Amino acid sequence: MEKVCIYPGSFDPLTIGHMDVIHRASRLFDRVVVAVLHNPAKVGCFPTARRLEMIRKACASMPNVEADAFSGLLADYVDRLGAAAVIRGIRGESDFSSEAMMAQVNRRLNPRVETIFLLAKPEHACISSSMVREVASFGGDVSPFLPEEVLPYVTAAFSKKE
């Protein structure tokens, strides 16, 4: 039986920290679904379709990784895909605290939801999508934080905002 995991998030934009988690999950599972939460109440920097495009380009060399979008509860999405686990990246103590609570909520909503935490490599612990957006908004060099496939999207988005 195929073991599927879901790596949910906003990925606004996808960073090298996200990519590290995706690479590691792709070695642990037969199929990894990088799932962008579509929340119509929240306006991100990039529309959902653009985020999916960035993920697909950055993950093109990994045949067992795919990108999808979902709305609603993650606990329900796990059942729709028949996933064995949810993968979450942890950068530090504050991430662990909030992610552990969310894992408990998901488990309460759906006892089948198993959450696996992957610790960030120390060199990626400071990287977040919000940090990338902030640095880009001030014209800073974000290339060390992004997969090369994602950099043109971020550069284009923030060059328009000047």
Side-chain angles (χ1 to χ4, degrees), residues 7-8 11 13-25 34 58-59 62 87-91 95 118-129 131-132 142-148 150:
Y7 179 28
F11 307 106
L14 183 75
T15 69
I16 61 170
H18 294 131
M19 288 299 295
D20 179 55
V21 171
I22 293 166
H23 279 287
R24 291 160 60 199
V34 181
C59 297
M62 293 178 276
I87 297 289
R88 297 299 294 155
I90 302 291
R91 292 172 296 193
D95 277 357
L118 295 178
L119 294 177
K121 290 181 178 176
E123 63 268 26
H124 298 148
C126 68
I127 302 171
S128 68
S129 295
M131 179 275 299
V132 168
V142 292
S143 63
F145 312 116
L146 298 172
E148 64 183 44
V150 173

Side-chain angles (χ1 to χ4, degrees), residues 12-128:
D12 188 29
L14 183 75
T15 69
I16 61 170
H18 294 131
M19 288 299 295
D20 179 55
V21 171
I22 293 166
H23 279 287
R24 291 160 60 199
S26 75
R27 292 191 307 261
L28 298 171
F29 290 88
D30 300 317
R31 192 168 127 226
V32 177
V33 179
V34 181
V36 176
L37 173 61
H38 174 67
N39 183 349
K42 229 176 167 185
V43 177
C45 181
F46 296 97
T48 302
R50 184 65 39 93
R51 294 179 213 180
L52 291 170
E53 188 178 316
M54 287 186 269
I55 293 165
R56 288 181 182 123
K57 282 188 178 184
C59 297
S61 66
M62 293 178 276
N64 66 329
V65 175
E66 62 189 71
D68 191 21
F70 75 102
S71 57
L73 294 173
L74 177 60
D76 294 337
Y77 186 63
V78 166
D79 275 346
R80 282 199 301 275
L81 290 189
V86 170
I87 297 289
R88 297 299 294 155
I90 302 291
R91 292 172 296 193
E93 289 178 39
S94 63
D95 277 357
F96 179 75
S97 179
S98 60
E99 291 294 343
M101 272 197 270
M102 187 54 63
Q104 292 297 340
V105 169
N106 284 324
R107 182 91 179 208
R108 198 84 189 264
L109 293 170
N110 179 348
R112 279 193 1 83
V113 176
E114 206 55 68
T115 302
I116 297 172
F117 298 122
L118 295 178
L119 294 177
K121 290 181 178 176
E123 63 268 26
H124 298 148
C126 68
I127 302 171
S128 68

